[in-house]
Amino acid sequence: MSAAAAETALPGDPPGGRRAAAVWGIGVAVYFVAVIFRTSLGVAGLDAADRFDVNASALSTFSILQLLVYAGMQIPVGLMVDRLGTKKVLTIGVVLFTAGQLGFALSPSYGTALAARALLGCGDAMTFISVLRLGSRWFPARRGPLIAQVAALFGMAGNLVSTLVVARMLHGMGWTATFAGSAAAGVLVLVLLLLFLKDHPEGHEPPPAHHAASGFVRRQIARSWREPGTRLGMWVHFTTQFPGMVFLLLWGMPFLVEAQGLSRETAGLLLTLVVASNMVVGLVYGQVIARHHAARAPLALGTVAATAVLWAATLVHPGDRAPMWLLITLCTVLGACGPASMIGFDFARPANPPERQGTASGIVNMGGFVASMTTLLAVGVLLDATGGSYRIAFSCVFVLQALGTAQILRLRARSARRERERLVASRVEAVHVPV
């Protein structure tokens, strides 16, 4: 009996169905808009440098601050979701990231623009964990891996909107009109959220939680962290997500234009390829993991290895520029980073009971964004220190991959053993459940 099969026997499993898809779809729409806002700077990096007259390090600070706020908010947001429910947290998130996007549009200076991106990052931080929680409340547990990958797929669709639509708007309509106009999407999803979203279906209310007890926050975090599956999930997320995130969020466009000599149009197509690859690979990974849980670690480690090999081949290629076929291959492989990072949640989910899912997801989600933030800063600093050497700057990718891979290998067996123990316990409990 597989872990997935065991999950189907859980009492009180939500039924799923069309209504579940409709309600969950509203949450996904919120996440979709949040990703558009988050990644819009990726296609506007060169414009932002000109608008605010800043160098590479200062430009990277936009994304670093945004991710710093995002990563720092993950555990608090997980606790908020467990305590307040999905709808309230998503509502706060939409208000914050919409205000941040509008503020970024109207910012007259570098300082105010930084504050706007921090506000955006705070609201963005409240979306994905909420969507994961919403899916677990409306769909059967066996659908968890696929639901998470589909949610991430819609996030990538938001990234696609940034690379295709926002980029064109920016060069056709200008800075203020583009960012202020896009903020209207936040208002739209806020209305849908307030009118139609529910935390859970009727008859599937969670048991009353006693959150007022002293030490709740400390116990919630400590118990989640104590599980090897939570820590393994965090390191999987840390190691897999950041190469693709850094490329799409900020440094991909400058690397392709300045280091590889491509036009903005061609560079934009390669960024689109990363997003398209992400969407396709996400569906494949979700289906594979839903059927074969043993494939989780091999898929994650295989993605890390492929990413490292392609980055190394690109950076050490003789001559000033890599051939187009190699850049295409690199961008295709970078597209697998996002889906691979979602595997982290598939380690944490069975390791924690429902009342800790938000907290555990926050710990996992923090991993990739800490790695992304670190890499964004390192690349910017190294570019300034080396006079614009992208080969040296992007070499920091391998350091973080080595660190994360070592932790995955260290925790993998321990997490698998703990998961088998839980599976045996669930079988015994199922045998003794009265009918």
Side-chain angles (χ1 to χ4, degrees), residues 17-35:
R18 292 183 177 178
R19 187 178 177 217
V23 174
W24 179 74
I26 295 172
V28 170
V30 173
Y31 177 56
F32 171 77
V33 173
V35 173

Side-chain angles (χ1 to χ4, degrees), residues 254-272:
F255 169 73
L256 295 171
V257 173
E258 296 177 354
Q260 300 301 316
L262 303 180
S263 66
R264 285 197 180 203
E265 291 73 19
T266 303
L269 289 175
L270 287 176
L271 293 179
T272 304

